[in-house]
Amino acid sequence: MKFITTLFILFTSLAARAANPADSLKLYAADNVNIEYVGRVDVSNPMQPRMWAPGVYIRARFKGSKCELLINDQVMYGKSHNYLEIAVDNNKPYRIQTTGKTNIITVAEGLTNGTHTILICKDTETHIGYIDFLGIRCAKLLSPAPHPKHKIEYIGDSITSGAGMDQSTTPCDKGEWYDQHNAYMTYGARTARNLNADWQLTSVAGIGLVHSCCDMDVLMPQVFDKVYLRKDSITWDFKRYQPDVVTICLGQNDGVQDSALYCGAYVKFINTVRKKYPKADIVCLTSPMADGKLNAALRHYITAITTYANNNGDSKVYKYFFSRQYHGGCGGHPTIEEHELIANELTAYLKQLKHW
């Protein structure tokens, strides 16, 4: 009832604004067929698609000089506000933050009165709560632009999510712990854009394969099939996104483990991924921020794991070891600049692997 009341007030306000002859914007609801959603989105209510995961994005094409977004924020913990990355046409993307439970955000203004594209990416991750997308206001919503040729999914932890990397507004050890999150500029999203691919970040800060950090009570194999990657009941429909490539970047939170335990769990997880994605190439990665001891262990584990998979009939399981440690950001995470370097490494490898 509270949401219905909020939605009524919001749409009443928009209707009043639309009645103003000087305002030529039209409201297009979230269920419009010309609005595209990429990533794990709960669409059980098509009028308010809900998204928790980092890197989930909304894509649209419109005509006119201005564009507004209608977004609700969970405001988890009573104070946390999500960051969003906004990319309009080929202009430099920029990051904004929601300010309340309901938000009408002007994301493009003063454009030429022609055709434009917009991409809205959730920069913060599951731990910061969900956002609901209610619609877009513009002069005219157009049919989507052609889709990217390829699809990639990135399974991982805080590194893949984009934690601790963006100090453009808040330096390390200042503000809230999520103020440096930026999923749009992660190595995964950058690699995908380099290769003309859609991306999906199936990642949670602190999560591991056999051991998660920070008192987290879930492991990646437990939540891999969920929309909300924190032990939720909403099951993800894997038919909605079938990647050409899946990368697995876990191990940073596991640390050095018993080899048999870790490798056995990893092989089992690869089998789970393979059942969901029978045609995908699966690439096992070392952790970009691992120190020398952990990096050596991960190289040992991954070599054994990929050899076992190949010898047991899965020839589409591969390994890639990052060239060095990237840890210049907050809490030892890679910086935004280091994510670009990581992406350059992975882009070159996937180009060679897939001939893209």
Side-chain angles (χ1 to χ4, degrees), residues 121-138:
C121 176
K122 186 176 186 288
D123 267 345
T124 33
E125 62 171 273
T126 299
H127 294 47
I128 313 306
Y130 64 72
I131 60 170
D132 292 332
F133 186 73
L134 304 182
I136 185 172
R137 295 185 75 233
C138 59

Side-chain angles (χ1 to χ4, degrees), residues 328-342:
C330 307
H333 292 88
T335 64
I336 197 166
E337 294 81 11
E338 288 176 327
H339 269 271
E340 182 176 13
L341 298 176
I342 298 167

Side-chain angles (χ1 to χ4, degrees), residues 6-7 14 29 47 66 69-70 89-90 95 133 140-141 144 167 198 215 223 268 288 301 304 309 322 354:
T6 301
L7 193 61
L14 291 173
M47 296 301 292
K66 185 178 180 179
L69 307 176
L70 283 63
D89 298 333
N90 293 318
R95 196 168 63 130
F133 186 73
K140 184 178 182 181
L141 190 65
Q167 300 178 56
D198 277 325
D215 298 320
V223 296
K268 186 177 179 180
Y301 302 154
F322 290 109
K354 299 294 293 181

